[in-house]
Amino acid sequence: MASQTAIIGAGVMGETLLSGLVRSGRRVDDLLVGEKRAERVTELEERYGVTVVSNVEAAAKADTVALVVKPQDMADVLEEIAPVLRPGQLLVSLAAGTTTGFIESHVPEGVAVVRVMPNTPALVDEGMAAVSPGSHCSEAQLAEAESLMASVGRVVRIPERQQDAVTAISGSGPAYIFFVVESMIEAGVHLGLPRSTASELVIQTLVGSAKMLRETGTHPTVLREQVTSPGGTTATALRELEVHRVRAAFLAAMEAARDRSRQLAEGS
């Protein structure tokens, strides 16, 4: 029998992972979902044809268990499923700030743990996930965790000590980008453009710029310089951003996010 993967927690990110796995070619027969809410069970069964069971049954049957639960719920979920977990199983945690050590201390000896920091662009298959192995995770198990996340975007492998920095950069990162886009749209309205026009201009500029970065492989400084004519409009605008210390503000913001991530991990 093919190895089974269970997803415990069918919220937005749990369903995103499920739909990504189905689209990437995983057989629905090899997938289980742990979910308690009756209306959600019906929804998932109808939408994906997947088997939805209790958390305990999902954990008992699967070889790989993805824990897509809120950090504050992790201890309760681990307590619930620990009695049916067995050595050789793989737990993949997508809970922010929850260390592999914390999970390992709540499950039987010999259960492998991988910690993942995903982000919301996984919803459109453009996620950025960072994975870190726990204390006794094999290369094959780490590769399995990577393949789960590769179904909804890109994956990097990092030491766990870097997870707080990753949380600050890519985990929270979409919010910074949306904040910049929001600000540019408001500026467009302020400058006399209809909101719908300003939105289209800003969003396509963002998408095009991101595509240039990815497809050309050119350093962002070089791309920025290509747009910046001496004494021109762009140079004038960039000078204002430097005067307002936008670069320093981004650094301070991400340091603050990193520090908060550490606090949350220590609190758990």
Side-chain angles (χ1 to χ4, degrees):
M1 188 178 118
S3 68
Q4 287 205 303
T5 298
I7 297 170
I8 290 181
V12 174
M13 188 58 79
E15 185 177 355
T16 295
L17 184 56
L18 172 63
S19 64
L21 289 170
V22 171
R23 286 194 308 278
S24 70
R26 295 273 180 129
R27 286 168 50 88
V28 175
D29 300 355
D30 297 332
L31 297 171
L32 291 168
V33 176
E35 177 58 49
K36 292 174 179 171
R37 295 167 295 165
E39 72 284 359
R40 189 70 171 133
V41 170
T42 306
E43 209 174 278
L44 293 166
E45 287 179 338
E46 288 176 356
R47 192 172 294 166
Y48 301 101
V50 71
T51 303
V52 185
V53 294
S54 69
N55 290 349
V56 171
E57 190 178 340
K61 288 184 173 177
D63 304 285
T64 299
V65 180
L67 296 167
V68 198
V69 298
K70 294 184 177 73
Q72 61 268 32
D73 296 336
M74 182 61 84
D76 290 341
V77 170
L78 291 174
E79 188 178 340
E80 182 186 10
I81 66 172
V84 300
L85 296 176
R86 59 195 180 276
Q89 263 181 312
L90 170 63
L91 292 185
V92 181
S93 165
L94 277 70
T98 304
T99 65
T100 58
F102 175 84
I103 296 170
E104 287 169 355
S105 71
H106 286 72
V107 298
E109 188 69 33
V111 175
V113 179
V114 174
R115 176 179 172 183
V116 178
M117 184 68 229
N119 69 5
T120 56
L123 289 163
V124 291
D125 289 346
E126 289 290 354
M128 184 69 250
V131 302
S132 303
S135 62
H136 47 268
C137 173
S138 71
E139 178 62 32
Q141 287 169 322
L142 187 54
E144 172 59 21
E146 288 175 325
S147 92
L148 285 183
M149 300 315 301
S151 70
V152 289
R154 297 190 173 207
V155 186
V156 294
R157 190 182 292 197
I158 61 161
E160 187 167 9
R161 67 178 181 277
Q162 294 175 358
Q163 280 283 1
D164 295 315
V166 167
T167 301
I169 301 296
S170 59
S172 301
Y176 317 148
I177 305 296
F178 300 144
F179 184 82
V180 169
V181 166
E182 193 183 358
S183 302
M184 289 175 69
I185 291 169
E186 290 303 325
V189 173
H190 180 73
L191 296 175
L193 294 171
R195 184 170 293 277
S196 60
T197 304
S199 296
E200 188 171 356
L201 291 171
V202 174
I203 292 166
Q204 180 54 29
T205 299
L206 172 75
V207 171
S209 302
K211 204 166 179 184
M212 279 181 79
L213 280 164
R214 176 182 281 181
E215 294 188 4
T216 66
T218 305
H219 194 282
T221 301
V222 174
L223 292 174
R224 177 178 58 75
E225 286 171 351
Q226 287 171 359
V227 189
T228 312
S229 307
T233 56
T234 308
T236 305
L238 290 171
R239 181 175 177 277
E240 282 299 313
L241 292 176
E242 293 291 7
V243 165
H244 289 278
R245 296 173 54 79
V246 170
R247 198 182 298 257
F250 268 107
L251 173 59
M254 291 183 209
E255 283 180 334
R258 188 262 330 264
D259 294 346
R260 182 63 180 144
S261 179
R262 275 184 190 157
Q263 286 171 2
L264 291 170
E266 285 161 8
S268 78

